[in-house]
């Protein structure tokens, strides 16, 4: 696959924006073969976009069409069938688009431009989340990023804050009706398996579920090895005492068990794994509190031991 700055998959082809021709060229693969970019009739090829809208910032598949986001405008590319029938048309002009902030959010595409946040549903771009957009309009940006996860648009960008301009993480409803802003030194943002994750001061974090102020919590993880007191045995159960919610995972060569630890009081979890070496992983995805040392209950034939 040629080097590219952004990509999209549509019409059974892979589309790549490359740095060629001043960043206005899109290469496409052969039909139903995204690895083949050989330039031939019926195969792969390229399209140049030589107009005044600037470099290609992002490519997005939305409602059965491929949209090409230029630095200063949006175009629609219809590419069904043979490449001789490909058609490109202008949708709208706009201020400079930050390509890494383009994200398909349910029934719209949301993106950040130099003049603030916008949503696009075909035709023209509209103002989006205007109360938050005012904090972003005209602010010089250093690598803003966005993603869509769990029904929300997450944006890491520079913004006007009470103490001056600084980096912040925005969490917005997909229709722009509400949201939260959390100031902080965020350096990366991405979505994975329905959740949003950010890097805050060098640590991986996730937005805390149900936080009234849209707060962010660092993900705290502890992992270590432990063995039965005397050779191989069955780990019958684990007992813990916690004053916060945790995820607990225990694994050995024969399998893995995972449990959710509720906040408050002693709890017991059936494990029923047999082995001579185990690993225990404790993860705090939300607010962090104390978790007292887990107790392991082992079985050796007829005898039962606590450790």
């Amino acid at each position: 696959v040629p080097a590219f700055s952004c990509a999209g998959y549509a019409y059974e082809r892979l589309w790549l924006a490359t740095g060629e021709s001043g960043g206005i060229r899109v290469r496409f693969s052969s039909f139903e073969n995204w690895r083949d970019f050989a330039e031939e009739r019926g195969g792969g090829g390229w399209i140049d976009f030589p107009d005044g809208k600037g470099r290609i910032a992002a490519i997005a598949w939305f409602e059965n069409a491929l949209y090409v986001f230029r630095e200063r405008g949006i175009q629609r590319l219809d590419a069904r069938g043979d490449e001789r029938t490909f058609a490109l048309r202008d949708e709208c002009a706009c201020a400079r688009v930050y390509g890494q902030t383009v994200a398909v959010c349910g029934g719209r595409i949301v993106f950040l431009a130099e003049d603030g946040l916008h949503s696009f549903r075909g035709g023209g771009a509209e103002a989006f989340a205007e109360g938050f957009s005012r904090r972003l309009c005209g602010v010089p940006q250093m690598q803003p990023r966005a993603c869509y996860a769990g029904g929300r648009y997450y944006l890491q960008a520079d913004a006007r804050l009470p103490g001056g301009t600084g980096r912040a993480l925005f969490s917005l409803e997909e229709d722009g009706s509400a949201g939260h802003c959390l100031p902080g030194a965020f350096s990366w943002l991405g979505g994975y398996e329905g959740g949003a994750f950010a890097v805050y001061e060098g640590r991986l974090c996730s937005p805390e579920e149900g936080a009234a102020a849209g707060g962010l919590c660092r993900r705290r993880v502890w992992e270590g090895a432990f063995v039965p007191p005397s050779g191989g045995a069955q780990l019958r159960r684990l007992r813990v005492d916690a004053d916060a919610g945790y995820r607990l995972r225990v694994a050995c060569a024969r399998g893995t068990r995972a449990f959710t630890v509720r906040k408050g009081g002693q709890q017991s979890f059936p494990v029923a794994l047999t082995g001579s070496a185990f690993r225990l992983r404790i993860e705090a995805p939300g607010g962090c509190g104390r978790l007292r040392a887990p107790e392991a209950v082992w079985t050796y034939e007829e005898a039962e031991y606590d450790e």
Side-chain angles (χ1 to χ4, degrees):
V1 175
F4 62 94
S5 58
C6 55
Y9 188 79
Y11 308 117
E12 304 300 325
R13 298 177 189 263
L14 180 61
W15 303 79
L16 308 175
T18 69
E20 302 166 282
S21 299
I24 60 172
R25 175 168 292 181
V26 170
R27 289 190 174 273
F28 55 86
S29 71
S30 299
F31 183 72
E32 295 185 333
N33 185 354
W34 60 266
R35 295 179 178 87
D36 180 16
F37 283 82
E39 297 175 11
E40 58 186 8
R41 179 66 65 187
W46 51 268
I47 304 172
D48 280 345
F49 295 68
D51 58 31
K53 292 184 174 61
R55 296 171 61 89
I56 295 169
I59 298 175
W61 173 252
F62 176 66
E63 293 190 347
N64 299 317
L66 191 67
Y67 289 93
V68 180
F69 283 75
R70 310 285 295 279
E71 286 183 319
R72 292 177 292 278
I74 304 172
Q75 295 172 308
R76 172 173 171 153
L77 179 63
D78 290 304
R80 296 179 177 85
D82 187 85
E83 60 268 22
R84 288 171 293 187
T85 66
F86 290 179
L88 181 72
R89 77 177 189 215
D90 290 340
E91 291 288 308
C92 65
C94 59
R96 181 191 173 196
V97 175
Y98 297 104
Q100 293 289 336
T101 68
V102 175
V104 178
C105 301
R108 70 190 71 224
I109 302 176
V110 178
F111 63 95
L112 174 65
E114 284 184 329
D115 59 350
L117 288 165
H118 299 272
S119 72
F120 175 82
R121 287 181 284 187
E126 304 170 346
F128 181 78
E130 294 184 64
F132 296 96
S133 182
R134 284 192 290 270
R135 300 190 183 191
L136 299 158
C137 180
V139 177
Q141 294 294 332
M142 292 293 293
Q143 297 183 326
R145 297 180 64 94
C147 71
Y148 176 69
R152 301 182 73 84
Y153 176 75
Y154 292 91
L155 171 69
Q156 164 241 295
D158 295 289
R160 294 185 184 88
L161 304 171
T165 301
R167 186 59 59 95
L169 178 68
F170 294 84
S171 172
L172 308 174
E173 296 288 346
E174 66 178 43
D175 62 358
S177 61
H180 307 290
C181 171
L182 181 67
F186 299 98
S187 58
W188 182 86
L189 174 70
Y192 177 69
E193 291 189 347
F197 296 86
V199 172
Y200 175 67
E201 296 182 345
R203 295 178 173 86
L204 185 65
C205 312
S206 64
E208 188 177 75
E209 294 181 8
L216 196 90
C217 178
R218 298 178 182 180
R219 298 179 68 83
R220 291 179 169 87
V221 176
W222 180 90
E223 185 170 346
F226 67 106
V227 298
S230 179
Q234 183 188 73
L235 176 58
R236 290 192 59 192
R237 60 183 178 270
L238 285 172
R239 293 196 293 251
V240 297
D241 187 355
D243 54 16
Y246 288 85
R247 295 191 183 110
L248 191 68
R249 188 180 72 186
V250 59
C252 69
R254 296 188 178 183
T256 301
R257 301 284 188 271
F259 309 98
T260 299
V261 181
R262 300 184 308 276
K263 178 180 178 180
Q266 289 191 350
Q267 298 156 71
S268 179
F269 302 96
V271 179
L273 287 174
T274 300
S276 57
F278 295 80
R279 290 197 69 81
L280 180 65
R281 178 183 176 92
I282 301 169
E283 179 180 347
C288 303
R290 297 178 60 190
L291 186 142
R292 294 154 188 86
E295 298 178 355
V297 179
W298 305 97
T299 296
Y300 299 90
E301 296 180 348
E302 300 300 325
E304 183 176 289
Y305 298 89
D306 287 6
E307 182 188 36

